[in-house]
Amino acid sequence: QAKEQGRNNVQLFHPDMLDAVRERSRITAELRSAVAGGELALRYQPVVELASGRVIGIEALLRWHHPVRGIIMPDSFIRIAEETGLILELGRWVLHEGVAQMGRWSETAPDLTDFRLHINLSAAELLRSDLLDDIRETLDRHHVAPRRLVLEITETVLMSRGTAEEQVFSGLRDMGVGLQIDDFGTGYSSISYLRSLPADTVKVDQSLIQDMGSDPQQLKFIAAILQLISSAGLRAIVEGIETAEQAIQLQAMGCLYGQGYYYSYPLPPSQVPDRLRSLAQRR
Ligand code: C2E
Ligand code: MG
Ligand code: MG
Ligand code: MG
């Protein structure tokens, strides 16, 4: 905006900016008490083996039940939480709650223990000094095997990784906890980096499949990306599948795993066991 006013008229502050600053500090203050106040909740979205409907994973997605403003989606507060450092506390809560929920499902639905819990991790969380210990103790406490946990991180985090991150990755590998690249295709992916990934799965971003149906060129492009991922020895999951048509096209090009509203919206934990069973019976 300041730019539009012309080069010599440098306007450093606009009234809208003051509103934005106030809004941010209000959100920060409220978010700080949200954890202790029990205002956070997790929704769970299945990751499906397309051919069988078998659920191989469940992604935990954070929601904020604000006492006045209702449910607030993560895109409205994760960024601020990252900038203020509050993400460390939120992430700790997500880990504890998600793993505790895995323990509860094992008791209430002992037939369903064949899926992994996916948790989203921000860059700063990887450098949390007690991350590995916290993960190990939390898994222990709830009798959840380390191989049943997967951490989702974005490719931007990976590309700028240093020795500290490398240590965390190898610690996770030693423990048996999985690592996944999220939103693949939105950052600055290079082909060479795919081969050196410390990850076991790659989640292809939903933006890549959005206009797939109408564009044969895009279909070829996605097929090539899937090929690339599997030739690097990694498992590909495509996210954002919303229609039967997309599911069929993806399967036809050899895509094995997917996630999206077509299979399930993110669900409250009580609805997960039934959804897992019905997805597996769908075909
Ligand atoms: P993400 O990890 O890439 O998660 C996928 C997002 O796409 C989720 O949005 C999910 O609800 C949505 N989605 C799933 N299927 C479909 C579909 O078929 N169509 C469309 N249009 N969208 C679909 P959500 O829950 O709003 O989360 C947004 C982002 O917030 C996540 O993106 C993740 O980056 C971040 N996030 C969520 N929970 C956490 C958390 O506990 N910790 C951290 N650090 N980040 C989180
Ligand atoms: Mg994710
Ligand atoms: Mg994603
Ligand atoms: Mg995303």
Side-chain angles (χ1 to χ4, degrees), residues 68-97:
V68 178
R69 293 195 287 163
I71 296 181
I72 306 182
M73 302 298 279
D75 284 337
S76 309
F77 63 88
I78 290 287
R79 183 78 166 274
I80 295 180
E82 287 173 345
E83 287 164 7
T84 54
L86 275 174
I87 192 68
L88 298 184
E89 212 178 316
L90 294 190
R92 200 172 274 130
W93 183 85
V94 170
L95 173 71
H96 296 171
E97 177 56 28

Side-chain angles (χ1 to χ4, degrees), residues 7 33 40 49 75 78 82 99 104 152 154 157 160 168 176 182 192 208 214 217 219 225 232 244-245 259:
R7 241 172 238 272
S33 60
L40 298 180
E49 181 181 54
D75 284 337
I78 290 287
E82 287 173 345
V99 172
R104 277 175 234 136
E152 299 194 359
T154 59
V157 176
S160 60
V168 175
D182 202 0
S192 58
L208 285 172
S214 52
Q217 225 25 68
L219 277 180
I225 289 175
E245 195 195 3
Q259 189 179 19

Side-chain angles (χ1 to χ4, degrees), residues 232-252:
L234 303 163
R235 276 211 281 194
I237 298 171
V238 173
E239 73 177 352
I241 303 175
E242 295 185 353
T243 67
E245 195 195 3
Q246 289 172 336
I248 290 164
Q249 285 177 321
L250 285 165
Q251 275 188 78

